[in-house]
Amino acid sequence: MSALGLTAVLGGCGLTGGSDQVTLKLVAADYGDSAANTSQKYWEKLVKEYEEQHPDVKIDVTVYSWNDVDAKVKEMVDAGQAPDLAQIGAYADYAAKDLLYEADELLSIPVQADFVSQLADAGQVNGVQYGIPFASSTRLLFYNKTLFQKAGLTPPKTWKELAADAEALKAEGVKYPYALPLGAEEAQAETMQWLLSGGGGYTDAETGTYSIDSAENVATFNWLKNNLVGKGLTGPVAPGELNRADAFSAFAAGDVGMLNGHPSLMQMAAKKGVKFGMVPMPGAEGPSKVSMGVADWMMAFKKNGHAEQVGEFLDFVYDKENVLEFSREYDLLPVTNSASTVMTAAKQDADLKPFLEELPLSELYPVGKTSWAAVSADVKQRIGKAVSSGGSPSGILSQLQSTATRAESAE
């Protein structure tokens, strides 16, 4: 997600058609990486089509970069000027304060039923859906085919094979045999991918409570520290200092043997002529049974009323063709079953098929917890120390668990 810092108002016609006309304000995130593909253009086209069919409704859309959009919405809400709709990274705080409509107060039954079940479930707080999934992605292990061929390697299926491949790549002079970005930008993602591959995760599958310092998670980080980082297989930058964007750039430059990536890395690598393959994340004993999924969210604030108009607009936003157009423009996975079915079968979407196949096996961050924001921030700050030379995986995970327990008890 590239930050353009663009602020654009789209279709903002105001109250012009008499007292019966309703203006809905939507604040949305920018998924583009240049002025040419800014999300402004997607919304502009969508809004034009919708307003032509609904002359009594105007949609005023403001698009902000991912660096700014969550903070902008918070400012508006704190000032008592909540937008009707926000398409941002998290919804749980607003749901906890009873500021949001429930999804079934807005959406038609066919639209609600069309969401991919994992994503709809992740939008729930205490069994009620407030977060409406808007975009999703999963992660796969990317590997550089040229470097693998040169070293006579096949893609790994287990941690042991991954470590052996990394040793062979290091012997060939590869700069980052395995890139392990545990820097502050997105350490919570790399961490979760590894925890899941070790049979653990941030939360307990049965109780839903945080289990960050579980035996499985400690074992995973001990393995990472001893078998990858400690043996110099993660490159010249300490994992705690390596951000995802820098790891992706290094992969696109041909300097990385393996790393976890999402669909946007395909375009980056292809543009630089890097030949790559993608396989499920290796696990302790075989390919990981659970992948990491990520979703961004649409939500509707109750402040201004307009539930009927908001619901009708959202039904249009989630029309199959509109979901497909957005997903294809930004190399993201559709959040609806109808669009997923089309993309799974379509030749033009063949490169996304491996990611689509991972989605039903995926687990998302515990985004329904208001505590997750604090836990995620603490993971970003601390987790890199767990694999440093003097670091203690059990000690760091225990500190993170303490943060999680405190944050959860404050919910």
Side-chain angles (χ1 to χ4, degrees), residues 118 138-140 157-159 192-200 279-293 357-363:
Q118 279 93 330
T138 52
R139 304 291 163 100
L140 291 169
K157 294 179 179 175
T158 65
W159 289 355
M192 183 168 172
Q193 187 76 43
W194 277 98
L195 296 183
L196 291 173
S197 73
V279 292
M281 175 69 181
E285 304 299 332
S288 185
K289 293 183 177 66
V290 185
S291 170
M292 191 187 87
E357 288 170 349
E358 289 290 301
L359 193 55
L361 310 170
S362 67
E363 184 176 313

Side-chain angles (χ1 to χ4, degrees), residues 101-113:
Y101 283 113
E102 297 175 16
D104 61 9
E105 294 177 284
L106 303 167
L107 301 168
S108 66
I109 290 171
V111 169
Q112 265 197 285

Side-chain angles (χ1 to χ4, degrees), residues 196-260:
L196 291 173
S197 73
Y202 285 122
T203 56
D204 182 273
E206 290 180 14
T207 65
T209 56
Y210 286 106
S211 56
I212 299 172
D213 60 351
S214 70
E216 292 90 346
N217 292 346
V218 172
T220 295
F221 266 82
N222 277 327
W223 188 90
L224 272 174
K225 180 176 186 286
N226 297 329
N227 293 278
L228 286 187
V229 184
K231 292 186 177 175
L233 302 178
T234 53
V237 180
E241 305 295 322
L242 183 66
N243 282 329
R244 183 201 65 181
D246 297 328
F248 277 22
S249 295
F251 187 84
D255 291 334
V256 175
M258 300 172 276
L259 86 172
N260 282 315

Side-chain angles (χ1 to χ4, degrees), residues 366-377:
V367 287
K369 295 175 178 286
T370 56
S371 55
W372 170 242
V375 174
S376 175

